[in-house]
């Protein structure tokens, strides 16, 4: 009997993927990679640029004007964008942000902070930050403008930054930094399969070889950094499980992770115990993220609960060894790279299908790969998880990354588990839809999606729930 043709999308050839592992998996403060990590990096970058100005210019500096636009203006208060930019300007990089630092800044909005520019100092407060119009006419929805001005308000240095999702930052006139090129170039899953067939490498080996070629990092350094990423993920699960009380913000959402875990342990059936724990792990990280705690973007802050929940469960409950976990994480990165390259991973760009949907797809790939499945099965697992998130909107209630985000992370983790199960139990060649097709559908759906459903808090659940 002839085998059914796989449903391949018509994708014009694009430049190969050059995203690196540690651009993608970033440790930083929640609750939103676009709204916290990206803006914090912008503040930090602007600080460095100011410090590089000549003495004659710095001597005239009197103030810094900060204008948040688009979705940063619409939901920036709930997401803590103002505190993130301020922390960046005060010299904090996301990877060095201590848990609680942003909430400490938010607790004193009128407090003035001295910003050192070599021997000069100017003062800055949260109250100086302007939430501008919710216009979407800039090249990217998450836009912020920073200006160093003199006493007359004349600009000495102006920058327009774009927080393009997953904590990635660009600016007006940005060009990609110089780096090496992948030794096994691919821009789609189909091309990735071609490279795997040509080289005979496993998926995780290929990702490693490309990483070294692009960054110049030797393998032991990559492994050490991957371990740091995994440790940061495990820490975020543990911190979330032991925290209690209400999350910050008007909705007054209770932290549930610890209670969910206790009740999961007492379930009479094994399957309920496992799935209940997976829920609790995902809640733990998503709640940490909502509280502004330190998490890992995977692919974003809003969706940061899915991957650690699976990783923690694979280690604690499924007894999968460290090496297989690391290899699974590398395989998951390939899925995240493909989604970012061909569609998008920011809620403001494509809705939540690009955040929790992609996280779930990555998680399914990680589990399937760690259990020793072929690249075809890994692709199918990723495809199933993504396909059943297509069309998912981004509609955070009150602009806080809490409702529906926290539960959505748990549901995304469970869907990832089921997608990996489905893919490993079916005949791989009978699976019709390709990952490329699902990613393409996500991109198209995201582009057609009304801006109301893309992280502006102006549609969906965000307006269906009475004032909270
Ligand atoms: S709804 Fe999804 S995309 Fe939107 S903020 Fe929440 S987790 Fe992020």
């Amino acid at each position: 009997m002839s085998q059914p043709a796989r449903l391949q999308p018509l994708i014009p050839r694009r430049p190969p993927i050059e995203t690196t592992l540690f651009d993608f998996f970033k440790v930083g403060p929640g609750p939103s990679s676009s709204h916290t990590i990206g803006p914090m990096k912008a503040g930090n970058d602007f600080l460095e640029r100011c410090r590089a100005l000549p003495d004659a210019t710095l001597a005239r500096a009197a103030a810094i004007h900060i204008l948040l636009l688009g979705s940063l203006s619409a939901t920036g208060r709930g997401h803590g964008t103002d505190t993130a930019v301020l922390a960046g300007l005060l010299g904090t990089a996301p990877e060095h942000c201590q848990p609680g630092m942003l909430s400490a800044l938010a607790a004193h909005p009128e407090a003035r902070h001295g910003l050192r520019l070599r021997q000069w100092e100017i003062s800055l407060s949260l109250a100086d930050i302007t939430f501008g119009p919710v216009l979407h006419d800039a090249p990217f929805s998450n836009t912020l403008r920073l200006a160093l001005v003199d006493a007359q308000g004349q600009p000495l240095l102006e920058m327009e930054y774009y927080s393009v999702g997953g904590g990635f930052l660009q600016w007006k006139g940005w060009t990609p930094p110089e780096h090496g090129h992948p030794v096994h170039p691919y821009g789609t899953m189909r091309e990735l399969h071609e490279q795997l067939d040509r080289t005979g490498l496993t998926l995780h080996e290929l990702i490693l070889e490309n990483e070294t070629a692009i960054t110049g990092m030797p393998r032991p350094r990559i492994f050490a950094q991957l371990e740091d990423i995994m440790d940061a993920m495990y820490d975020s699960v543990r911190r979330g499980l032991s925290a209690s009380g209400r999350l910050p913000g008007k909705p007054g959402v209770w932290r549930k992770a610890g209670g969910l875990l206790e009740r999961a342990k007492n379930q009479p059936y094994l399957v309920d115990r496992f799935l209940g724990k997976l829920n609790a792990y995902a809640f733990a990280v998503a709640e940490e993220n909502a509280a502004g705690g330190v998490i890992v973007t995977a692919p974003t802050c809003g969706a940061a609960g899915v991957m650690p929940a699976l990783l923690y469960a694979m280690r604690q409950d499924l007894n999968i060894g460290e090496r297989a976990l690391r290899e699974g994480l590398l395989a998951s990165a390939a899925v995240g790279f493909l989604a970012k390259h061909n569609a998008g991973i920011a809620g403001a760009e494509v809705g939540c299908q690009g955040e929790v949907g992609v996280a779930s797809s990555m998680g399914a790939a990680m589990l399937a790969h760690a259990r020793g499945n072929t690249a075809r099965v890994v692709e199918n697992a990723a495809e199933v998880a993504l396909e059943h998130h297509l069309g998912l909107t981004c509609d955070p209630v009150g602009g806080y990354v809490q409702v529906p985000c926290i539960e959505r992370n748990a549901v995304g983790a469970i869907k990832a588990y089921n997608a990996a199960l489905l893919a490993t139990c079916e005949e791989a060649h009978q699976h019709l839809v390709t990952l490329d097709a699902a990613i393409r559908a996500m991109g198209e759906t995201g582009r057609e999606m009304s801006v109301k459903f893309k992280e502006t808090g102006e549609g969906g659940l965000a307006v269906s729930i009475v004032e909270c």
Side-chain angles (χ1 to χ4, degrees), residues 302 347 352 355 394-395 405 408:
C352 199
E355 296 208 8
C394 169
D395 47 3
C405 318
R408 194 166 279 177

Side-chain angles (χ1 to χ4, degrees), residues 31-32 79 289 300-304 345-348 351-356 392-397 399-406 408-409 453-455:
S32 159
H79 287 67
N289 177 62
T300 61
C301 291
I345 54 169
C352 199
Q353 48 175 0
E355 296 208 8
V356 171
L392 194 62
T393 59
C394 169
D395 47 3
V397 173
Y400 295 93
V401 191
Q402 300 178 4
V403 181
C405 318
I406 297 170
R408 194 166 279 177
N409 273 265
F453 303 116
K454 294 198 274 191
E455 215 167 356

